[in-house]
Amino acid sequence: MMKIIFIQTGGTIDKDYPQKIGGYPFEISEPAVKRILEKLNPSFEYEIFTISKKDSQDITDEDREKIYKTVKELENDKIIITHGTDTLIETAKKLNDLKNKVIILTGAVKPEKFTDSDAPINVGVAIGAINVLKEGIYIAMNGRIYHWDKVRRDLKTGKFIES
Amino acid sequence: MMKIIFIQTGGTIDKDYPQKIGGYPFEISEPAVKRILEKLNPSFEYEIFTISKKDSQDITDEDREKIYKTVKELENDKIIITHGTDTLIETAKKLNDLKNKVIILTGAVKPEKFTDSDAPINVGVAIGAINVLKEGIYIAMNGRIYHWDKVRRDLKTGKFIES
Amino acid sequence: MMKIIFIQTGGTIDKDYPQKIGGYPFEISEPAVKRILEKLNPSFEYEIFTISKKDSQDITDEDREKIYKTVKELENDKIIITHGTDTLIETAKKLNDLKNKVIILTGAVKPEKFTDSDAPINVGVAIGAINVLKEGIYIAMNGRIYHWDKVRRDLKTGKFIES
Amino acid sequence: MMKIIFIQTGGTIDKDYPQKIGGYPFEISEPAVKRILEKLNPSFEYEIFTISKKDSQDITDEDREKIYKTVKELENDKIIITHGTDTLIETAKKLNDLKNKVIILTGAVKPEKFTDSDAPINVGVAIGAINVLKEGIYIAMNGRIYHWDKVRRDLKTGKFIES
């Protein structure tokens, strides 16, 4: 049976609003992928790992090194990484030399906890593509599957577009 | 026909997550009450006014003065104010000497945009009570209607309880 | 501490869409009130009882007799009954001679499981009013609290209005 | 720019609960795909057509003939059909001899209007796969992309599995 490894690194997709007095900060919480897969009731096996719970902008070179090593050591060849959207492409680039695996990075512009979130659709897009793709590092955003070096972000609209 | 005036001052209830590059700050957006009333399809008349779009902690004495004056000048006697929960009681106290009106303050611990928000229920509680109450300044939180000087916030749980 | 008894009789509010092959019938499931109260995090005590899981139109005289007896024997004086909207008023009428209790009947025109449901607001309205009311049989629909013999349903719009 | 044609035929995915007196039947309403794409904010072009608004079990040979002809005459080569799940495979089979197009059929076991619907994920899975696939008739359900003649439905769980 097909198996997918999901890796949480943080980002908007996983933001929640914990009940605290004063200020009510947004906080990165449990992986949104967990709730999405419960709704999906998948006909594939999966595991979910957490590497970090960070905003995209706070992901350091050390974090990327850790993501790289974790993915490299996985026996599985189908990996979906959820990530903040601001530095999604940077992290994808870092994974460039990993061979014999399909790695798809995705995220969301609205937290999965929001009623109008794009998270379930984006994770769906990544899952759909990983059924078919054989090898390579890809980004799944705005309904498109982009090879990591063929995509850039439109800084005005925030949309990921072909480069 | 019964008429209710809803006043937006800001707070968690109205927080949204606008699509922007970098950081993705939470932002106070359109009044959540508007979306809640669309679902309710009410058998009463209403208007929604915006006085401020501020976090509870940023509400100043000037803001409270403005809320006081706005409410005082309203011809209507049924008023529901949405407000951040951190200083909800403080604003209620400021309205204390307004007579011949029922004023209920409410808010939410999770933004109305969240799938697990308490906002629609809290606004419902305020609406239910305003059908019945004759005069006074009240707080509608955690399913209770408290007279403003009979309530305090449990600083550990964040719940509003009898004082 | 204030205590509310919630009674499930069925109706649209509790309709779910269980996963079955063929036809996919709507089915009355767990009380919606349970999920609503989890979001509310109430500062009151409560219990939820199920009397029936029926469409409003299938509620028989025997069912109404059972509701009557159950409510009569309750020691508690604050009772909220969720019910299908088609015969909500009929059931309220049946409870007319119960004294020393506040009984509020409510329901929904969209199942609580729907993203655009009126259920959380309606249950909120009932809770808000039950904080304040002393005695009597009431209906909480469309944001109004109606004494049971002062309300009728507009057959064109489906809204509950003053009679 | 990539373009996808979405075709509505009906099924659970599009079921809504219109406000009517008496019985409150489930009804197939506007295409769920419309609401899903608004959340996605896609970087591809699309059009949405409606062929029928029928329960899967009511789809006739004539309906299938109409679907076949509509798809055949489309100039576009990327087509996603939303369909009731009971006869999804039957309709896919009917399209078997269409060449030079990728056609993916999907649906949902819970209406898109439900808070716990699988619809946004399923449509996402179809979109993800259609980015990559070149030709053929496929089914996107339970997170898998199945060639239409390599899939069957488990009659106990309702899940689509490899055959």
Side-chain angles (χ1 to χ4, degrees):
Chain A
M1 190 180 260
M2 188 176 96
K3 181 168 181 179
I4 304 176
I5 304 295
F6 293 90
I7 295 177
Q8 177 191 36
T9 67
T12 298
I13 188 170
D14 290 335
K15 285 188 180 164
D16 197 359
Y17 203 77
Q19 299 183 20
K20 276 183 198 151
I21 303 290
Y24 292 92
F26 243 156
E27 222 168 77
I28 291 168
S29 181
E30 292 311 292
V33 159
K34 192 169 173 291
R35 298 185 295 277
I36 292 169
L37 293 176
E38 270 164 24
K39 291 177 184 173
L40 176 60
N41 192 16
S43 287
F44 57 78
E45 289 174 12
Y46 66 90
E47 281 181 275
I48 305 172
F49 299 127
T50 296
I51 287 190
S52 58
K53 295 190 175 193
K54 289 190 172 184
D55 236 77
S56 197
Q57 296 181 316
D58 301 331
I59 297 271
T60 62
D61 285 348
E62 286 70 38
D63 293 321
R64 289 203 173 84
E65 193 60 38
K66 197 173 163 191
I67 296 168
Y68 177 89
K69 278 189 190 162
T70 306
V71 172
K72 187 171 187 164
E73 283 161 23
L74 285 172
E75 283 181 33
N76 305 85
D77 60 350
K78 290 181 185 293
I79 297 137
I80 293 174
I81 300 172
T82 58
H83 196 287
T85 54
D86 280 324
T87 66
L88 192 61
I89 301 173
E90 232 172 299
T91 299
K93 188 180 177 178
K94 168 76 184 173
L95 306 176
N96 181 37
D97 69 10
L98 293 172
K99 303 294 170 200
N100 305 317
K101 290 179 193 293
V102 199
I103 302 161
I104 305 184
L105 294 94
T106 191
V109 293
K110 293 237 177 186
E112 186 269 343
K113 286 273 186 177
F114 271 61
T115 50
D116 55 350
S117 175
D118 52 332
I121 319 167
N122 293 349
V123 171
V125 170
I127 292 171
I130 220 164
N131 270 265
V132 181
L133 290 165
K134 298 294 172 210
E135 195 186 9
I137 321 296
Y138 299 90
I139 281 169
M141 284 299 291
N142 300 106
R144 296 299 311 275
I145 298 296
Y146 299 108
H147 192 265
W148 76 267
D149 65 354
K150 298 257 168 60
V151 60
R152 63 182 185 83
R153 199 158 186 206
D154 182 318
L155 291 178
K156 229 167 57 190
T157 64
K159 288 174 78 165
F160 287 78
I161 54 174
E162 232 151 318
S163 73
Chain B
M1 191 180 259
M2 188 176 97
K3 181 168 181 179
I4 304 176
I5 305 294
F6 293 90
I7 294 176
Q8 177 190 37
T9 67
T12 298
I13 189 170
D14 290 335
K15 284 189 181 163
D16 197 358
Y17 204 76
Q19 298 184 18
K20 278 184 197 148
I21 303 291
Y24 293 90
F26 242 157
E27 221 168 78
I28 292 168
S29 181
E30 293 309 293
V33 159
K34 192 170 173 290
R35 296 184 296 275
I36 292 169
L37 293 175
E38 270 163 24
K39 291 177 183 171
L40 176 60
N41 191 17
S43 288
F44 57 77
E45 289 173 12
Y46 66 90
E47 283 181 273
I48 306 173
F49 299 128
T50 295
I51 286 189
S52 58
K53 294 191 174 192
K54 289 190 173 184
D55 237 76
S56 198
Q57 296 180 317
D58 301 330
I59 297 271
T60 62
D61 286 350
E62 286 71 37
D63 293 321
R64 288 202 175 84
E65 194 61 40
K66 198 174 162 192
I67 296 168
Y68 178 89
K69 279 188 188 162
T70 306
V71 172
K72 187 172 187 164
E73 284 162 22
L74 284 172
E75 284 181 31
N76 305 84
D77 60 349
K78 290 181 185 293
I79 296 136
I80 293 174
I81 299 172
T82 58
H83 196 287
T85 53
D86 280 323
T87 67
L88 193 61
I89 302 173
E90 231 172 300
T91 300
K93 187 180 178 181
K94 167 75 184 173
L95 305 176
N96 181 39
D97 70 9
L98 293 172
K99 302 294 169 199
N100 304 317
K101 291 179 193 295
V102 199
I103 301 161
I104 305 184
L105 293 94
T106 191
V109 293
K110 293 237 177 185
E112 185 269 345
K113 287 274 186 178
F114 271 61
T115 50
D116 56 349
S117 175
D118 52 333
I121 319 167
N122 294 349
V123 171
V125 170
I127 292 171
I130 220 164
N131 270 265
V132 181
L133 290 165
K134 299 293 173 213
E135 197 186 8
I137 321 295
Y138 299 90
I139 281 167
M141 283 299 293
N142 301 106
R144 297 298 312 275
I145 299 295
Y146 299 108
H147 192 266
W148 76 266
D149 65 355
K150 299 256 168 58
V151 61
R152 62 180 185 85
R153 199 158 185 204
D154 183 316
L155 291 179
K156 229 168 58 191
T157 64
K159 287 175 78 167
F160 287 79
I161 54 174
E162 232 152 320
S163 74
Chain C
M1 191 180 257
M2 189 176 95
K3 180 168 182 179
I4 304 176
I5 305 295
F6 293 90
I7 295 177
Q8 176 190 38
T9 67
T12 298
I13 188 170
D14 290 335
K15 285 188 181 164
D16 197 359
Y17 203 77
Q19 299 183 20
K20 277 182 199 153
I21 303 290
Y24 293 91
F26 242 157
E27 221 168 77
I28 291 168
S29 181
E30 293 311 292
V33 159
K34 192 169 172 293
R35 296 184 295 276
I36 292 168
L37 293 175
E38 269 162 25
K39 291 176 185 174
L40 177 60
N41 191 17
S43 288
F44 57 77
E45 288 173 13
Y46 66 90
E47 282 182 275
I48 306 173
F49 299 128
T50 295
I51 287 189
S52 58
K53 294 190 175 193
K54 289 190 172 185
D55 237 76
S56 197
Q57 296 181 316
D58 301 330
I59 297 272
T60 62
D61 285 349
E62 286 69 39
D63 293 320
R64 288 202 173 84
E65 195 60 40
K66 197 173 163 192
I67 296 168
Y68 177 89
K69 279 189 188 161
T70 306
V71 172
K72 188 172 186 164
E73 283 161 24
L74 285 174
E75 283 180 32
N76 304 85
D77 60 350
K78 290 181 186 293
I79 297 136
I80 292 174
I81 300 172
T82 58
H83 196 286
T85 54
D86 280 324
T87 67
L88 193 61
I89 301 174
E90 232 173 299
T91 299
K93 187 180 177 180
K94 168 76 184 174
L95 305 176
N96 181 38
D97 70 10
L98 294 172
K99 302 293 169 201
N100 305 316
K101 290 178 194 296
V102 200
I103 302 160
I104 305 184
L105 294 94
T106 192
V109 293
K110 293 237 178 186
E112 186 269 344
K113 286 275 187 177
F114 272 61
T115 49
D116 55 350
S117 176
D118 51 333
I121 318 168
N122 293 349
V123 171
V125 170
I127 292 171
I130 220 163
N131 270 266
V132 181
L133 290 165
K134 298 294 173 212
E135 194 186 10
I137 321 295
Y138 299 90
I139 281 168
M141 285 298 293
N142 300 106
R144 296 299 311 276
I145 298 295
Y146 300 107
H147 193 266
W148 76 267
D149 65 354
K150 298 257 169 57
V151 61
R152 64 181 183 83
R153 198 159 186 206
D154 183 317
L155 291 179
K156 230 168 56 192
T157 64
K159 288 174 78 166
F160 287 79
I161 54 174
E162 233 152 317
S163 72
Chain D
M1 190 179 259
M2 189 176 96
K3 182 169 180 179
I4 304 176
I5 304 295
F6 293 91
I7 294 176
Q8 176 190 37
T9 67
T12 299
I13 189 170
D14 290 335
K15 284 187 181 165
D16 196 359
Y17 204 76
Q19 298 184 19
K20 277 183 197 152
I21 303 290
Y24 293 89
F26 241 157
E27 222 168 78
I28 292 167
S29 182
E30 293 308 294
V33 159
K34 192 170 173 292
R35 297 184 294 277
I36 292 169
L37 293 176
E38 270 163 24
K39 291 177 184 172
L40 176 60
N41 191 16
S43 288
F44 57 77
E45 290 174 13
Y46 66 90
E47 282 183 274
I48 305 173
F49 299 128
T50 295
I51 286 189
S52 58
K53 294 192 175 191
K54 289 190 172 184
D55 237 75
S56 197
Q57 295 180 316
D58 301 330
I59 297 271
T60 61
D61 286 349
E62 286 70 38
D63 294 320
R64 288 201 175 85
E65 193 60 39
K66 198 174 161 191
I67 296 167
Y68 178 88
K69 278 188 188 162
T70 307
V71 172
K72 187 172 186 164
E73 283 161 23
L74 285 173
E75 283 180 34
N76 304 85
D77 60 351
K78 290 181 185 295
I79 297 137
I80 292 175
I81 300 172
T82 58
H83 196 288
T85 54
D86 280 323
T87 66
L88 193 62
I89 302 174
E90 231 172 301
T91 299
K93 187 181 177 180
K94 167 75 185 176
L95 305 176
N96 181 38
D97 69 10
L98 293 172
K99 301 294 169 200
N100 304 317
K101 290 179 194 295
V102 198
I103 302 161
I104 304 184
L105 294 94
T106 190
V109 293
K110 293 237 177 184
E112 185 270 344
K113 286 274 187 178
F114 272 60
T115 50
D116 55 350
S117 176
D118 52 332
I121 319 167
N122 294 348
V123 171
V125 170
I127 292 171
I130 220 164
N131 271 266
V132 182
L133 288 165
K134 298 294 172 210
E135 196 186 9
I137 321 295
Y138 299 90
I139 281 167
M141 284 299 293
N142 300 106
R144 297 298 312 274
I145 298 295
Y146 299 108
H147 192 266
W148 77 266
D149 66 354
K150 299 255 168 58
V151 61
R152 62 181 185 83
R153 199 159 186 204
D154 182 317
L155 291 178
K156 229 167 57 192
T157 63
K159 287 174 78 166
F160 286 79
I161 53 173
E162 233 151 319
S163 72

